[in-house]
Amino acid sequence: MTTSSAPGKVYLFGEHAVVYGEPAVPCAVERRARVTVEPRDDGRIRVDAADLSLDGFTVTWGGSIDDRPDIDVPAPLVEAAMKYIEAAVRQARDAADAPDAGFDITVESAIPLGAGLGSSAAVVVAGIDAATRALGTELDPEVVARRAYEAEYEVQDGQASRADTFCSAMGGAVRVEGDDTRTIDAPPLPFVVGYDGGAGDTGELVAGVRALREEHAFAADTVETIGDLTREGERLLAEADPAREPSEDLLSELGALMDFNHGLLEALGVSARSLDAMVWAARDAGARGAKLTGAGGGGCTVALDPTDETELALGYTAECEQSFRAELATEGVRVEEA
Ligand code: MEV
């Protein structure tokens, strides 16, 4: 039995714009997906996803998700989760040169699904790591990141950027610009996450921005401006001492860029009433900055606040189902049990 875990992430800057070659800075946060894998001899795949959704589900199939039994969970949710797991299994079989390997797979995740915290990337990263280890092959985190990206690319019909998978595999703060992916230094930023209990449809949201961008030069400019503010944010991070708590000046400057980034995402049509309400609740509580994180449409916001005020205020905000502090996860994918 082999268990690996991988963290979720928040976007400090740059979601959506990253799809068009602009830089983005996602940061891994200490909310993990854990995937446990036990090889089986009959080539079948059995998935037990105890808390991947509120209900959880168990699915057994041999070769194709089409022959799975009926189960008591919304079909699109199972469909989506199974596609990611199936793609991760394909990558693990290929990496370990074991095309017929079967697995019992248990997925436990503390990362809300489809809510902008990189849940699918974390499951795919941890799944590839655990399954290859279970087959006696140990991959470098960079290789896990590349294979996880290929898995996501396949499931998301080529719309995925490398940001989520690279960040989850490597941990810490990262910078992604097209195919160029690297880890960068960042001080321990005081992230506070607000979650509205919902989720956006990443494919639809990405397609919406693409259409706007193709139709209007000002929408294309908006995407470019997100790239500009991301570069500005990177400069601020590069000047900071990663070993020290961030200064008030740094938090205010990063926060102002986050506020700007949220406004531009709103203009591109990917925010939601609930996300705007959480962003404003955070700002009113004294957060240094706040924005939606991930594809948008619903899901999560991220704020910078070293005090407890934002978390407290979000707790009293009708649109917020859950709020929590999210520490920067310095470690990416890791084996928990071999
Ligand atoms: C989704 O988490 C982030 C997007 O930028 C899409 C991607 O980067 O693959 C919207």
Side-chain angles (χ1 to χ4, degrees):
M1 183 132 63
T2 309
T3 303
S4 295
S5 77
K9 60 102 210 13
V10 293
Y11 273 91
L12 187 55
F13 309 113
E15 55 274 87
H16 283 288
V18 69
V19 175
Y20 308 100
E22 299 294 343
V25 178
C27 298
V29 294
E30 269 313 334
R31 283 253 151 169
R32 289 183 170 262
R34 288 165 57 93
V35 179
T36 300
V37 168
E38 181 72 37
R40 48 191 285 165
D41 296 333
D42 60 4
R44 291 175 74 82
I45 311 291
R46 179 178 188 277
V47 178
D48 194 346
D51 45 32
L52 197 56
S53 70
L54 287 181
D55 300 330
F57 56 83
T58 300
V59 180
T60 307
W61 83 98
S64 147
I65 56 169
D66 294 339
D67 43 285
R68 66 165 193 266
D70 285 344
I71 39 180
D72 192 19
V73 175
L77 182 62
V78 178
E79 203 85 1
M82 285 303 109
K83 279 185 185 159
Y84 284 111
I85 291 167
E86 212 185 17
V89 163
R90 259 197 297 281
Q91 288 293 332
R93 283 173 171 159
D94 184 60
D97 201 15
D100 302 321
F103 302 100
D104 283 331
I105 300 173
T106 306
V107 181
E108 300 156 275
S109 180
I111 310 167
L113 268 188
L117 298 185
S119 54
S120 62
V123 168
V124 169
V125 164
I128 292 175
D129 192 72
T132 46
R133 282 175 192 275
L135 296 172
T137 299
E138 210 173 298
L139 305 178
D140 287 339
E142 285 91 345
V143 178
V144 175
R146 180 177 55 73
R147 287 193 170 270
Y149 166 67
E150 280 165 19
E152 284 222 323
Y153 187 90
E154 184 188 321
V155 176
Q156 295 176 14
D157 292 331
Q159 303 254 30
S161 75
R162 293 178 186 271
D164 289 20
T165 39
F166 185 73
C167 186
S168 183
M170 304 304 291
V174 309
R175 173 191 204 276
V176 175
E177 185 171 2
D179 289 345
D180 181 39
T181 49
R182 55 186 77 176
T183 54
I184 58 173
D185 282 339
L189 295 170
F191 293 124
V192 181
V193 171
Y195 172 40
D196 70 3
D201 181 326
T202 302
E204 250 174 46
L205 291 152
V206 169
V209 173
R210 186 180 298 281
L212 263 186
R213 198 176 155 269
E214 279 165 11
E215 198 173 336
H216 304 291
F218 54 79
D221 291 347
T222 304
V223 168
E224 272 182 40
T225 306
I226 293 176
D228 291 342
L229 75 82
T230 301
R231 277 182 278 269
E232 183 70 35
E234 278 178 63
R235 268 193 293 280
L236 294 172
L237 290 178
E239 285 163 12
D241 181 347
R244 290 230 174 130
E245 295 296 322
S247 67
E248 260 309 318
D249 281 354
L250 176 64
L251 292 180
S252 308
E253 285 176 287
L254 289 174
L257 292 174
M258 290 170 77
D259 287 343
F260 212 117
N261 197 163
H262 182 76
L264 297 177
L265 289 167
E266 223 262 301
L268 290 172
V270 298
S271 192
R273 192 179 285 262
S274 56
L275 299 176
D276 291 341
M278 293 192 290
V279 160
W280 277 107
R283 290 174 184 163
D284 287 348
R288 302 332 182 238
K291 61 185 279 296
L292 69 85
T293 174
C300 291
T301 55
V302 58
L304 280 186
D305 189 353
T307 76
D308 294 335
E309 297 299 317
T310 294
E311 197 181 343
L312 200 66
L314 285 171
Y316 288 106
T317 303
E319 291 82 356
C320 180
E321 193 174 292
Q322 225 187 86
S323 60
F324 51 89
R325 188 162 283 289
E327 306 297 336
L328 189 70
T330 48
E331 251 187 307
V333 64
R334 68 175 182 227
V335 62
E336 302 282 350
E337 210 180 314

